[in-house]
Amino acid sequence: DRGSAPELLLPERCPRATMRFRARAEPGPLQTLVAIAQCLDKISTECVLNLTEKNFEFRKRPVAECEVEVYASLASDVFADYRIESKAGNVISLEVNLKNLLRALRSAGEVDETVIKLTRKGNMPCLTIIADTPSGLNVTQDVPILRLITQEGMKDYAEPNLGRPCVTGSFPEPRHVRTVLERMKQLDKYVTIEFNQRKGALVFKVQTEVVSLRTFYTGIEINFDGKLRRRGTKFSAMVNIGELLSVMHFANANYEKVVVCCIEDSALVIYVGFEEGSGAMTYYCPLIDPNDIEMDICNA
């Protein structure tokens, strides 16, 4: 049950010296961490960090079925130095407040190197960000750990296995899409995204009883799976505009590629790859059944 409460270890009950983490980030990886935290801050107030020997991961699960689910990661080898130790197979999972984390990461500014490590202030474990500025000033920011999560509890934060996508396509210029969605949001709560393989087009559209608005993006590479290809050259999916807009904040990041795909009857998935392979984010936006909207209108 994805909605069940995860098994937690409260900070004040955590034994000392059972886990260690220390990483040194140069400007590139640090800016990717900032970008990911900024994107998540537009969606949630807290997130889970899952630190393993291979990856520095961010995870945000939905509280309600209609909310976006987000998973992001940086490979450990993009850090100048990366060391982790724990009794749970060298895995440390913790929850932090995103605004606190973002403030701490931003405090590093344009320094050549930033240290991120686990520390303890009294009985409170923290994720501490340390930066030495060019002027010789040492800037230290402590991010209190809200809770530590056991391996069993992390099962509730596992990335969903929804099967293969039925359609995949390249994504248009995100800033323009965000502007279009902001206008459409004034007309309706939902947007339909149409994948047109024959025309190589991605269409965003809203339609109500009084108005219809469509925006076409052409030159889009679209691929259907075999089963969908036999049903035609078009496929449509509906999502909540507000939820999709919350995703579009990745437009401000230094991304290298963006791919959109759809898992039929489940989710619209947007994959964002950051520059130089430094990291990636995957968003899962729940699909809306148009029949449910019609029933809501009828019952209103």
Side-chain angles (χ1 to χ4, degrees):
D1 179 8
R2 295 298 298 275
S4 61
E7 183 181 351
L8 306 174
L9 292 177
L10 298 179
E12 61 269 18
R13 296 171 54 194
C14 297
R16 295 179 182 271
T18 59
M19 56 186 70
R20 297 181 179 87
F21 175 80
R22 188 180 190 277
R24 288 190 293 116
E26 295 177 342
L30 179 65
Q31 290 309 309
T32 301
L33 289 172
V34 171
I36 292 173
Q38 285 177 327
C39 292
L40 286 168
D41 184 50
K42 302 299 181 180
I43 295 174
S44 181
T45 55
E46 290 89 27
C47 81
V48 167
L49 302 180
N50 189 55
L51 313 177
T52 72
E53 291 179 329
K54 293 184 177 181
N55 296 299
F56 188 113
E57 301 173 349
F58 296 72
R59 301 186 183 186
K60 185 268 173 185
R61 70 171 187 171
V63 177
E65 291 184 358
C66 62
E67 292 182 349
V68 172
E69 198 163 353
V70 190
Y71 299 86
S73 68
L74 280 78
S76 60
D77 58 13
V78 306
F79 293 88
D81 181 48
Y82 188 97
R83 288 176 280 172
I84 186 169
E85 178 185 342
S86 81
K87 293 182 178 178
N90 294 336
V91 176
I92 301 171
S93 305
L94 53 96
E95 186 176 43
V96 294
N97 178 279
L98 277 164
K99 290 194 182 302
N100 290 342
L101 177 63
L102 187 54
R103 186 185 306 113
L105 291 172
R106 283 174 171 166
S107 71
E110 299 296 326
V111 300
D112 293 334
E113 195 172 81
T114 303
V115 173
I116 305 169
K117 65 179 183 178
L118 285 178
T119 61
R120 182 180 291 273
K121 306 298 180 179
N123 288 323
M124 177 61 68
C126 296
L127 191 67
T128 296
I129 316 295
I130 304 171
D132 291 319
T133 67
S135 62
L137 179 66
N138 178 279
V139 178
T140 300
Q141 294 277 336
D142 294 318
V143 181
I145 294 174
L146 302 179
R147 53 178 64 91
L148 293 165
I149 306 176
T150 65
Q151 288 182 301
E152 182 66 24
M154 281 303 295
K155 291 180 180 179
D156 287 325
Y157 292 89
E159 190 164 356
N161 182 11
L162 303 178
R164 293 177 60 84
C166 60
V167 57
T168 303
S170 54
F171 198 79
E173 206 289 312
R175 291 180 180 85
H176 191 273
V177 174
R178 184 169 64 187
T179 300
V180 168
L181 292 173
E182 287 171 346
R183 293 173 180 168
M184 289 182 167
K185 188 180 179 181
Q186 300 175 27
L187 304 176
D188 199 9
K189 292 173 57 179
Y190 308 102
V191 60
T192 298
I193 302 171
E194 179 186 284
F195 298 80
N196 190 317
Q197 187 181 39
R198 184 173 64 85
K199 294 183 177 180
L202 201 62
V203 184
F204 291 78
K205 57 185 179 180
V206 294
Q207 184 165 350
T208 68
E209 294 180 353
V210 296
V211 66
S212 176
L213 178 62
R214 300 185 181 202
T215 298
F216 292 79
Y217 294 95
T218 57
I220 303 295
E221 181 181 349
I222 294 176
N223 297 298
F224 284 14
D225 71 355
K227 181 180 177 181
L228 190 59
R229 196 178 302 117
R230 291 191 292 271
R231 287 159 42 185
T233 60
K234 292 183 180 180
F235 179 82
S236 295
M238 179 181 285
V239 295
N240 182 289
I241 293 181
E243 293 296 318
L244 187 55
L245 266 173
S246 70
V247 169
M248 299 310 300
H249 287 280
F250 75 78
N252 297 324
N254 292 322
Y255 58 87
E256 190 170 78
K257 67 175 180 177
V258 185
V259 176
V260 59
C261 62
C262 194
I263 301 169
E264 195 167 13
D265 300 324
S266 183
L268 182 79
V269 182
I270 297 177
Y271 170 88
V272 182
F274 293 109
E275 288 184 343
E276 301 178 355
S278 58
M281 297 185 72
T282 305
Y283 297 88
Y284 294 84
C285 305
L287 297 186
I288 303 295
D289 186 341
N291 294 324
D292 293 341
I293 298 174
E294 293 175 5
M295 290 178 61
D296 289 342
I297 294 174
C298 292
N299 294 330

